[in-house]
Amino acid sequence: MSFWGQLGFQDSFSNLGFELVFFHDHAMFVLVLVSSFVGYIMVCLLKSSLSSRFLVEAQALEGAWTIIPGLLLLVLAIPSVRLLYLLDEVGGPVVSMKAIGHQWYWSYEYGDSSEFVSFDSYMVSMSDVKDGGYRLLEVDNRCVVPYGVDSRILVSSADVIHAWALPSIGVKVDAIPGRINQLGVHLIGSGVMFGQCSEICGVNHSFMPVGLESVSPEVFYCWLVR
């Protein structure tokens, strides 16, 4: 999770998270390169005493400042489109979980086993947070997803529009009443991740966090059939 003064992304727990961080670094490299070059040219022009008011054409220069920005846009567009398709890819999920937004809590359903499992997840009040817990992020029942396998998460809402967001795995999905959005997740290790509703949904919008626990497939199936 994020800490005070942190400027970078959270540590990634999924392949999508690593891809998003890589694209961010790639885009920032191009941005810094372009900004530095433009700034250098501006300083050189301000310090120069030469004038080009009698210059009527420069086809080579016009071609260069058309082709080079076009190539830079391709350098940004190709990995961006690739990442866009990766975000929509679900694959062959082994586990399916449904997250339903309510005012103001989340409920989770698992229907892949012989026994249907469902529970509600409420934020733990500040007076009940144990030592080492996180204020406004701890929940009484965390959703559980196994790592090392493809999982599918279905997101919907029972009342107004919510958003199920977990920055550490690089997902943010709108929960819309009467509609089911899905995303594919492949976690790479065990741990506890925290997120929050990212769509203003009412007076207690800030008090419906998302708590996700990543465990091994063996532990997950023991928890599912307990």
Side-chain angles (χ1 to χ4, degrees):
M1 64 170 293
S2 296
F3 294 93
W4 73 273
Q6 180 175 341
L7 299 178
F9 287 96
Q10 297 183 17
D11 294 336
S12 299
F13 275 84
S14 71
N15 294 332
L16 287 179
F18 282 111
E19 292 286 345
L20 288 169
V21 172
F22 173 78
F23 177 71
H24 170 267
D25 295 340
H26 174 75
M28 287 300 297
F29 173 78
V30 175
L31 179 61
V32 171
L33 187 67
V34 172
S35 300
S36 301
F37 177 74
V38 172
Y40 171 75
I41 296 299
M42 291 177 63
V43 171
C44 290
L45 290 176
L46 290 175
K47 296 174 62 176
S48 175
S49 60
L50 300 178
S51 175
S52 301
R53 60 196 179 101
F54 297 110
L55 188 65
V56 293
E57 66 173 345
Q59 295 184 0
L61 180 61
E62 292 178 359
W65 70 36
T66 301
I67 294 175
I68 293 176
L71 293 176
L72 289 176
L73 289 177
L74 282 179
V75 169
L76 290 175
I78 292 175
S80 176
V81 172
R82 173 182 173 272
L83 181 58
L84 185 64
Y85 278 93
L86 284 177
L87 292 173
D88 288 334
E89 184 66 31
V90 177
V94 178
V95 176
S96 292
M97 179 189 75
K98 188 174 183 181
I100 305 173
H102 304 265
Q103 289 181 311
W104 288 270
Y105 64 96
W106 294 96
S107 63
Y108 299 97
E109 299 177 358
Y110 298 81
D112 286 351
S113 64
S114 57
E115 296 183 5
F116 181 77
V117 177
S118 65
F119 56 90
D120 298 330
S121 179
Y122 289 87
M123 185 191 74
V124 176
S125 62
M126 288 184 287
S127 59
D128 295 330
V129 174
K130 299 179 181 179
D131 293 339
Y134 298 102
R135 185 179 67 91
L136 302 181
L137 289 177
E138 294 288 351
V139 295
D140 55 359
N141 292 307
R142 298 173 183 151
C143 61
V144 181
V145 176
Y147 65 81
V149 298
D150 291 334
S151 302
R152 177 179 61 179
I153 300 176
L154 307 173
V155 183
S156 186
S157 173
D159 36 52
V160 299
I161 298 178
H162 302 276
W164 197 81
L166 276 170
S168 56
I169 61 176
V171 298
K172 177 181 180 293
V173 185
D174 288 335
I176 302 174
R179 176 176 177 179
I180 297 178
N181 292 325
Q182 69 172 357
L183 68 146
V185 174
H186 188 98
L187 302 179
I188 60 173
S190 61
V192 178
M193 288 142 275
F194 297 100
Q196 292 175 307
C197 176
S198 298
E199 188 74 31
I200 297 177
C201 56
V203 63
N204 285 333
H205 157 70
S206 301
F207 305 104
M208 52 178 301
V210 178
L212 184 144
E213 189 170 347
S214 174
V215 299
S216 66
E218 295 78 14
V219 173
F220 171 76
Y221 285 113
C222 290
W223 170 84
L224 197 62
V225 299
R226 73 186 189 279

